[in-house]
Amino acid sequence: MSEQVLRNGNVAARTRTRTITQVAMLGALAGILMNFEFPLPFLAPAFYQLDFSEIPVLVGSFAMGPVAGVLIELIKVMVHLVTKGTITAGVGDLANFLMGCAFVVPAGLIYRYHFVKSRKHAVVGMAVGTVVTTVLACFMNAFVLLPAYGKAFGMPIESFIEMGGAVHGSVNSLLSFVALIIVPFNLFKYIVTSVIVFLVYKRIRVVLKGD
C-alpha cells in the first residue's frame, strides 16, 4: 500500500510539474504573440489592433482547464508589460486580461467539464466566450479604455468618435462607435481566434496534458 501511495505521489508531482511548465511556456508564447499586432482599417481605427495571443491561452484552457487559462492569460500580460510596456498606466493591459479571461474561461468550462469532450462543446464554448468578451469590450471601451486613452494622449472622446466615423460613416456618437466599431472588431478577432484553435487544437493536444 505504501509503495502504491508513493508511486501515486510521484505521478502527481510529475503531472503538477508538467502543468506548471506548460502554463509558463504557453504564457510566454502568448506574451510574445501579443507584441505582434496589426490594425484592421476596414473594421476599426488604427489604435485597435489584432493579435493572436489568445490562441495559446485558449489551447491551454482546453487542455488543462479554465484555471490554467487564467494563469496563462496573466503570464501573457506580464510578459507583454516587460517586453513592450504600456501607454495607459496598465489600464489597457488590465482590460486585455479581463477580456481574455472572459473569452477562455467560459470556453474552457464548457469544453473541459463535459463527460464526453467533443468539437460541439468546443464550438459552443468558444461562441459563448466570444459573446461574453464582446459585451465586456463594449463596456470597457466606453467607460474605461477610451477615457484612459484620451487622458494619455490629451484627446477628447469626440476625437475617437471622429476616427470611427472615418471607418464607418454612421459613427457619430459613443453609442454608435461601440455598436459599429467595437462589436464588429471583437467579433472578428475572437471568431478568427476560435477558428484557428478549432483547426489546430487536436493536432497539438498530444504534446500537452491530455484529456
Side-chain angles (χ1 to χ4, degrees):
M1 178 65 69
S2 60
E3 291 182 0
Q4 182 65 38
V5 171
L6 181 60
R7 188 179 301 112
N8 290 341
N10 290 336
V11 171
R14 287 197 298 270
T15 301
R16 185 164 53 250
T17 300
R18 182 180 181 184
T19 299
I20 293 172
T21 301
Q22 290 172 348
V23 166
M25 291 177 62
L26 289 171
L29 175 60
I32 293 170
L33 288 175
M34 192 176 173
N35 291 337
F36 295 94
E37 51 188 7
F38 53 92
L40 297 175
F42 59 93
L43 277 180
F47 57 89
Y48 288 109
Q49 301 199 352
L50 176 67
D51 65 74
F52 296 108
S53 63
E54 300 302 342
I55 293 175
V57 187
L58 184 56
V59 167
S61 188
F62 277 168
M64 293 173 282
V67 174
V70 172
L71 293 174
I72 295 169
E73 190 74 42
L74 178 61
I75 294 171
K76 179 198 82 171
V77 173
M78 292 175 64
V79 169
H80 177 72
L81 282 171
V82 170
T83 58
K84 196 170 183 178
T86 179
I87 59 173
T88 60
V91 175
D93 301 282
L94 175 60
N96 186 281
F97 172 76
L98 293 175
M99 288 187 280
C101 290
F103 178 55
V104 303
V105 169
L109 283 172
I110 292 172
Y111 175 79
R112 186 75 184 175
Y113 295 108
H114 277 81
F115 181 73
V116 178
K117 300 176 181 67
S118 66
R119 290 194 170 194
K120 176 183 177 181
H121 295 135
V123 171
V124 171
M126 291 186 292
V128 171
T130 297
V131 172
V132 171
T133 309
T134 300
V135 172
L136 179 61
C138 290
F139 284 97
M140 288 297 295
N141 276 273
F143 299 111
V144 179
L145 291 182
L146 289 178
Y149 284 133
K151 184 176 181 180
F153 293 105
M155 299 169 59
I157 297 295
E158 288 73 21
S159 297
F160 298 113
I161 295 173
E162 290 177 6
M163 294 179 190
V167 176
H168 195 299
S170 297
V171 174
N172 53 21
S173 65
L174 183 59
L175 179 61
S176 60
F177 185 95
V178 168
L180 299 175
I181 301 296
I182 304 301
V183 171
F185 178 83
N186 281 275
L187 287 177
F188 182 87
K189 174 181 179 178
Y190 292 103
I191 288 173
V192 169
T193 298
S194 298
V195 170
I196 294 173
V197 172
F198 182 81
L199 293 175
V200 305
Y201 176 67
K202 293 296 183 180
R203 294 183 176 87
I204 64 177
R205 186 181 61 181
V206 294
V207 300
L208 297 172
K209 184 178 178 179
D211 296 329

